[in-house]
Amino acid sequence: MKSATQSRLSIDGPAGKLEIVANDPGGARRGVALVAHPHPLYGGTLDNKVVQTLAKAFFASGFCALRLNFRGVGASDGVFDEGRGEIEDFLALAEHARRTYGAGELALGGFSFGGFVAASAAQQLGPKHLVLVAPAVGRFPVGAVPAGTLVVHGEEDDVVPLKDALDWARPQQLPIVVFPGAGHFFHGNLVALQKLVERHCRA
């Protein structure tokens, strides 16, 4: 049984090199999970605490968890591209995962702006699991998502109001898990968020 590893490396992306972190359970791997970070112009990186929590949850569920810095963030080349290029970056990560890790279940996760990216990429990638935490509906054109998508939102979110999320979910008859009292960054709720995502992945 291969031991678990974490590695930080770069891959080729549409705008140059993309910095990624891979958490690989090795021989226990059931698939790959790709995680997208919040808005690059407001401090979003692959080291964001919610992004790390999603990666931990996917890793604990047997996935190789891959997260990237979008173009212009950290050691990634390029500049912010209003979401279009970031979706291309995420799709490049998916292609890297397919070539490197082969077949298996695909899971996508995203937080805030990253929720928009993950939801957009899901339309092309058709993942088995899609997890959106405080997706940036109302700020970006987040489309309809598959019926089994896990959507999590904080009751007191002051960046993406809960009302906006409900207005987006209502026409889809899509349930949302609301964390009472939680803000946009889920301070004090990260352990519970991780456990929720792990339960979702077991379903």
Side-chain angles (χ1 to χ4, degrees):
M1 181 78 72
K2 212 170 77 174
S3 62
T5 61
Q6 174 170 316
S7 51
R8 187 179 288 254
L9 58 150
S10 67
I11 64 171
D12 291 328
K17 294 295 184 183
L18 289 171
E19 181 182 17
I20 72 169
V21 170
N23 295 82
D24 187 5
R29 187 192 315 123
R30 65 188 265 200
V32 294
L34 316 179
V35 184
H37 70 67
H39 203 298
L41 300 187
Y42 298 97
T45 77
L46 60 74
D47 292 315
N48 171 273
K49 289 287 192 283
V50 175
V51 171
Q52 291 189 58
T53 297
L54 286 172
K56 287 177 185 175
F58 286 129
F59 178 81
S61 302
F63 290 91
C64 176
L66 299 170
R67 46 203 163 98
L68 81 165
N69 272 333
F70 290 126
R71 57 186 64 192
V73 177
S76 293
D77 294 333
V79 295
F80 179 63
D81 191 34
E82 305 293 337
R84 295 177 299 271
E86 287 71 24
I87 294 169
E88 292 177 2
D89 293 344
F90 202 61
L91 293 172
L93 179 63
E95 178 59 21
H96 165 79
R98 186 190 64 78
R99 288 196 312 267
T100 306
Y101 302 102
E105 294 179 19
L106 175 64
L108 303 180
F111 169 46
S112 196
F113 168 80
F116 156 68
V117 172
S120 300
Q123 296 175 3
Q124 297 185 47
L125 298 174
K128 179 174 176 61
H129 302 286
L130 178 59
V131 178
L132 307 178
V133 179
V137 299
R139 292 171 172 261
F140 290 88
V142 183
V145 295
T149 300
L150 173 62
V151 182
V152 188
H153 219 86
E155 179 188 20
E156 304 297 336
D157 193 324
D158 61 352
V159 177
V160 182
L162 177 59
K163 179 185 182 302
D164 290 355
L166 292 171
D167 289 346
W168 166 76
R170 193 173 297 112
Q172 306 177 62
Q173 297 185 314
L174 181 70
I176 293 182
V177 177
V178 177
F179 274 55
H184 188 64
F185 294 97
F186 287 82
H187 296 307
N189 294 277
L190 293 176
V191 172
L193 176 63
Q194 180 177 338
K195 290 178 179 176
L196 175 67
V197 175
E198 289 177 23
R199 286 198 301 272
H200 174 75
C201 290
R202 286 198 296 267

